[in-house]
Amino acid sequence: VQLQASGGGLVQPGGSLRLSCTASGLTFSSYVMGWFRQAPGKEREFVAAIESTSGFSTTYGDSVKGRFTISRDNAVNTVYLLMNSLKPEDTAVYYCAGDGLKFRAITTSPSQYTYWGQGTQVTVSS
């Protein structure tokens, strides 16, 4: 199983970025997919997750609610994270992750995610 994240970069405060994560080697639609982030000197933080199959149900970390949107396209095995109104405190390495079990309910705990991408750096600075 491989998860390939992309789309990070340098953006000014108030700007937007869209991260993508393409999966291979698993039945993508069967798994909850999530995004986490880790800033230097801090623990890994839950950002967002989306349920398997339909992707109708989503959940967000408190610090990104109303600004970030997670979505998925099962036809191309890809999960997205649209980040709007970015703040300097959003600066971190962002990781996509896949749940370890099929069709499980959304979880915010990183310990329940088995598959991890390599991370993509997001820097918000003027």
Side-chain angles (χ1 to χ4, degrees), residues 60-78:
Y60 297 91
D62 288 342
S63 60
V64 307
K65 281 180 182 176
R67 300 188 297 122
F68 290 11
T69 303
I70 188 171
S71 60
R72 67 190 299 157
D73 185 344
N74 293 333
V76 292
N77 289 0
T78 299

Side-chain angles (χ1 to χ4, degrees), residues 1 3 21 23 26-36 46 48-59 70-72 74 78-79 96-110 112-116:
V1 175
L3 302 180
C21 175
L26 79 170
T27 310
F28 178 78
S29 62
S30 300
Y31 294 90
V32 167
M33 298 298 296
W35 287 95
F36 292 79
F46 171 76
I50 187 167
E51 69 171 359
S52 61
T53 314
S54 70
F56 181 77
S57 180
T58 58
T59 191
I70 188 171
S71 60
R72 67 190 299 157
N74 293 333
T78 299
V79 60
C96 61
D99 195 349
L101 294 177
K102 292 183 179 181
F103 308 120
R104 185 155 53 176
I106 287 178
T107 177
T108 63
S109 171
Q112 296 195 42
Y113 289 82
T114 298
Y115 311 114
W116 291 86

Side-chain angles (χ1 to χ4, degrees), residues 78-93:
T78 299
V79 60
Y80 304 98
L81 185 68
L82 176 61
M83 306 184 293
N84 294 323
S85 303
L86 282 162
K87 305 175 182 180
E89 50 264 44
D90 294 318
T91 296
V93 177

